[in-house]
Amino acid sequence: MMTKVREVLLLLLLPAFVPHTDGTRYSLPGKPTEIKCRSPEKETFTCWWKPGSDGGLPTTYALYYRKEGSNVVHECPDYHTAGKNSCFFNKNDTVIWVSYNITVVATNALGKTYSDPVDIDVVYIVKPHPPEKLEVTVMKDQGWPFLRVSWEPPRKADTRSGWITLIYELRVKLEEEESEWENHIAGQQKMFNIFSLRSGGTYLIQVRCKPDHGFWSEWSSTSYVKVPEYLHREKSVWILILVFSAFILLILIWLIHMNSHSLKHCMLPPVPGPKIKGFDKQLLKSGKSDEVFSALVVSDFPPTTSNYEDLLVEYLEVYVPEQQELMVDEGKDHDGCLKSIGSASDSDSGRGSCDSDNLLMDKSGAAKEEQQQQNQEGDQIGTETQGPKEAWEKETMLCANEDVVSPSTSSKKVKTWPSVFSPVTPYSPSPLDPHNSLEMHKQNFLSDTQFPPGSPSSDHCIKKALQSSYWEVCFNNNQPYPQTDVHQQLQAHSDRNISAINDGNAPRNLLLPTRMTEYVEVQRVNEENKVLLHPIPSGHTREEACSWVGHGDNYSKVKGVNSDNVLLLQREVVEEESMEMAGAAESCYTSSIAINTPKPTTCSHIALPVQEERVLAVSGYVDTATMFSLDT
Amino acid sequence: MAQRRIRGGKLVMVLCVVAMCRAVPINDLIYRASQQSDKLHALSTMLTQELQGSEVFPIDRVHACHTSSLQTPTDKEQALQVSESDLLSLARSLLQAWSDPLVVLSSSTNVLPYSAQSTLSKTIQKMQEHSKDLKDGLDILSSKMGPAAQAITSLPFIETNEIGQDKITKLLSCFRRDSHKIDSFLKVLRCRAANMQPQMC
């Protein structure tokens, strides 16, 4: 009984002794995990497992399997062939298209631990060995090298019978840092060509394979190959080409140099500079645009002195046709003012003053017209091309401007023609012409002056000028006219601003003997400040220098009458319709004179406000522009 | 070994005779057939792998398939000993055995979880097409290889109604194996017929 108690005590104490010796705890072994089975050729297979912790005790592992459809458990036949923690199934133990149920058991002193079972089918776990006998050779294709890679399937894989069908893949890399593998799928062939090699480079090549339904093998061992330098032969050719082209280049350069001048002329033709007549680049650069533009004004535009006379002639000449048709407005109630040509005989009537007035006005109007046109043109251009003209104008302007009222009265130029131009025929004797033209210029200038309404001083000034001019003109004329009336007329109409016009009345007598011109004479100005014109007969030596009937010459043909009863006169060298004034009523206005016959009854009223300057064309040359200006 | 040689010789003779008919060469027919079977198996593998990933499908645990009664070689030696006609016959039998189950499978997809349904239906449709093509090709091939090749073992598929989810998984795993068998047989056949063209194998 004592021995039994002692055994029990020993048994109880024994476990206590053992652990205390090393101070560790023992436990069951860890579960084996990651069971992986692979078959290299679909004939055998190997399973590996990962052991868990051993629990501090020596642990043994065992693999048990069970085939599909059978409950017989078998143990792994071979634990050593495949290494540690593996189980190798040889051909005899391997069946295909049969599912294996595999379990690994870890056993130690304390117990067993079972792994999770794994179902495998051998045909699905094929992973072949890498291909063998990898050979790489450098071959030449018309002088250009390429690599020929060849290999053999793994020894154990039976591809010849078709049991395993393998697909190969190879990869190539330059023996350099930072170079990457270049993969190529080679299919079922056991040979592959690599082109586009770097001369003198060293290549690394590997190959692997895979069954049609399985896993890729590992990469084979690396094969090294060195590509020989293959550009040596080409270099000589390149050098030759280089030298040759350099030589040609030199020749070309030399040729170009020799012909540089002509080439330059051919390739880069000189650009013609801008040439504007009168355009001065320096002026433009200096920034004075006014001067530049003034320089652009061509001297002969408007026509200069050389053509001036012709121009004047154009405007001034009044022909007296043989028939002396009088284009007089029939419907003239105002007989007082308009006179037909036929009323030339009226020149002897007591209308001296008014006639002369009319004459004055007509002439001045005509002169004004022309002058106005010229001035307009001159304004546009901004220059006066006639020296004497300028001088004269300035003088007159100076005179007039002294007392010029602000332009409120008339923003436009005064269209008074204090002077009468003398018609200068183009064929008149030259010595006279310049003088005449000069006179005319003077007169025209005079006419352009702006006169304040009723400014006696201006009148005076004008008179002076006029007189001088008048006298001068008179002297040149073969038709001397007494000038006495001029002054009187001037005074008579001074308040109307017509004085200026009147002043020019006299010069109407300046007619060259060579031609008979007709003037429309300002008969008078009626109460309503309307100028009555009547044609003035030509060829009359009149004491009064009064009205005379124009002989069917158009000098002041009325172009038309606008709505405001403004007479638009224009000159015509044909018939003088202006004779309409003959027989026109007093209220009728000279403008009607020039009215064409189509308007027999119209007796246009010249809108002549009192203060307005008279624009009336005297000798048929009405400046339509001035007429327009009357519309205020 | 001698038997094999005799069989090989017979095959060569047959092939030569057939080749003289100036039809599509048998080599080409076999090659095309093997390509079709390869595609078919690849599809089924892909399907099972996809289903395995999405849910727990005990695919690998294969139960008895309706084609298990067909005796097929279980290792390489056995497989290489089978005659070409037998190989072809086996292939055709297996193929024939799966025409109906595929139809059943295609109509049973609604049983599966929604995520797997579209994949399943598409893949099954493709598999049906390939199976049809392969069947036609093998019919032509067998007609050229003699009466032995034309014998088909009937492997009826009993289930005609919709099947449950577990059945579907089982069917899919069975089909994977059988398609692999077909593919293997045809590839063996291909290599045997390509004696004149060793590069094919």
Side-chain angles (χ1 to χ4, degrees), chain A residues 41-43 68-69 91 94-99 101 117 119-121 123-124 156 158-163 165 188 190 212-213, chain B residues 31 38 41-42 60-64 72-77 79-80 173 176-177 180-181 183-185 187-188 190-191 200-201:
Chain A
E41 73 287 81
K42 227 191 303 187
E43 297 170 44
E68 170 194 337
K91 284 185 189 181
T94 308
V95 287
I96 54 171
W97 294 313
V98 171
S99 176
N101 189 302
D119 287 299
I120 58 150
D121 196 330
V123 293
Y124 302 144
K156 292 206 178 151
D158 184 7
T159 55
R160 197 171 295 177
S161 64
W163 184 240
T165 308
Q188 279 182 264
K190 299 181 190 63
D212 47 4
H213 310 287
Chain B
Y31 191 76
D38 190 279
H41 179 67
D60 286 332
R61 190 177 301 159
V62 181
H63 303 281
T72 54
T74 54
D75 64 1
K76 176 184 156 188
E77 282 79 15
L80 292 179
S173 55
R176 185 187 182 196
R177 173 182 288 171
H180 191 272
K181 281 183 186 174
D183 187 44
S184 298
F185 297 155
K187 281 176 181 166
V188 169
R190 176 176 78 181
C191 274
M200 215 184 265
C201 293

Side-chain angles (χ1 to χ4, degrees), chain A residues 504-518:
Chain A
N505 197 7
R508 69 185 172 136
N509 302 327
L510 307 177
L511 283 178
L512 291 182
T514 53
R515 207 185 274 195
M516 298 297 290
T517 56
E518 207 158 17

